[in-house]
Amino acid sequence: MNMKKVRLDYFLHESLHASWKTRLAPEFKKEYWKQLAAFMQEEYTHTEVYPPQKDIFSAFALCPFENVSVVVVGQDPYHGAGQAHGLSFSVSKGVTVPPSLKNIYKEIQSDCGCNGEENGDLSGWAMQGVLLLNATLTVRAGSPGSHQKKGWEEFTDAVLQRISAEREHVVFLLWGQYAQKKRTIIDEKKHLVLTAPHPSPFSACTGFFGCRHFSATNAYIAQYGGTSIDWCL
């Protein structure tokens, strides 16, 4: 196998859960996907890109389509070395917890009574049915937003559309203006959309703190007979 020619599709098919492959198969035949795959081959070959290729689709590997009960929409991965590992807002174990995630933990502590967390790996949420989805799944090192408008947004919009159309009673957590633009994709007659300012230090004090989204999410899930999320990692 010539890995350089098929990198994106190789890791897609290696790590994407079968439930996602079936539903997203039409996307992989579209022209934007072919262009995105070519762009990503060049980027991973000639520059430093995060997350590592094996982690690009981690959100889908850890959270099968049928298990999705919550969707957290981020913008793009962390652009520092060793941080991004395929889950929005999450960082690999042993990595310093970023400021936005620290603020998420503060709100969870206030809302749900959890203790402060030192571990920034949110894989435990993903395995409970929280899809931690960045709108753009990759980024060039040290260059936030560098892989926007290359095709990732079309792909992740298709993901949101599939969830909205085929599932019921999913909670969508949209923090910040960028994530809130995705609201038009979601059928709010079938799902709950919760919005707040971004948990960044620049905006958390303007309404993210005190939003109580985590307890509200569990209340909604319980209302329809689902299993609440244990937000205390």
Side-chain angles (χ1 to χ4, degrees):
M1 179 182 295
N2 187 331
M3 291 290 289
K4 286 191 175 181
K5 287 187 177 180
V6 294
R7 275 179 169 163
L8 187 58
D9 286 343
Y10 173 80
F11 286 104
L12 172 74
H13 293 296
E14 282 293 302
S15 60
L16 203 65
H17 190 273
S19 61
W20 289 107
K21 289 180 187 178
T22 301
R23 289 170 174 83
L24 297 173
E27 300 303 308
F28 309 140
K29 299 176 183 179
K30 293 181 179 180
E31 185 60 30
Y32 86 84
W33 182 265
K34 297 175 184 178
Q35 294 176 3
L36 173 62
F39 170 75
M40 293 309 304
Q41 177 186 322
E42 287 295 310
E43 287 290 283
Y44 273 102
T45 301
H46 299 295
T47 68
E48 186 72 20
V49 178
Y50 304 131
Q53 293 179 64
K54 65 181 180 61
D55 293 332
I56 294 174
F57 303 103
S58 291
F60 303 95
L62 294 175
C63 186
F65 183 86
E66 295 85 356
N67 291 0
V68 176
S69 59
V70 183
V71 180
V72 178
V73 178
Q75 188 163 343
D76 56 6
Y78 296 116
H79 53 87
Q83 292 182 301
H85 66 139
L87 307 177
S88 63
F89 292 100
S90 181
V91 291
S92 301
K93 290 182 179 179
V95 175
T96 301
V97 178
S100 291
L101 184 53
K102 283 184 179 180
N103 286 338
I104 290 172
Y105 284 160
K106 287 179 182 178
E107 176 59 21
I108 292 173
Q109 184 175 12
S110 173
D111 189 15
C112 304
C114 302
N115 294 324
E117 296 288 348
E118 295 182 0
N119 173 24
D121 185 353
L122 302 181
S123 298
W125 294 0
M127 289 185 285
Q128 294 180 75
V130 181
L131 182 66
L132 295 161
L133 181 68
N134 279 316
T136 303
L137 298 189
T138 57
V139 68
R140 190 180 297 175
S143 184
S146 52
H147 286 181
Q148 293 178 10
K149 299 181 181 179
K150 302 296 184 182
W152 279 129
E153 294 91 342
E154 191 167 347
F155 175 71
T156 53
D157 280 359
V159 170
L160 294 173
Q161 289 165 349
R162 283 286 184 177
I163 296 170
S164 179
E166 297 186 28
R167 297 297 311 279
E168 292 184 345
H169 312 312
V170 173
V171 182
F172 292 82
L173 301 180
L174 307 181
W175 301 327
Q177 293 183 359
Y178 185 91
Q180 289 163 22
K181 291 178 182 177
K182 306 298 183 184
R183 189 169 193 165
T184 58
I185 299 173
I186 303 161
D187 184 352
E188 296 190 52
K189 295 179 181 178
K190 297 169 56 181
H191 308 286
L192 176 65
V193 176
L194 298 176
T195 64
H198 195 277
S200 160
F202 298 106
S203 55
C205 291
T206 65
F208 179 78
F209 290 142
C211 69
R212 300 185 64 83
H213 280 183
F214 303 97
S215 60
T217 292
N218 280 347
Y220 180 83
I221 292 172
Q223 180 182 345
Y224 292 98
T227 301
S228 297
I229 305 299
D230 180 4
W231 299 109
C232 304
L233 294 175

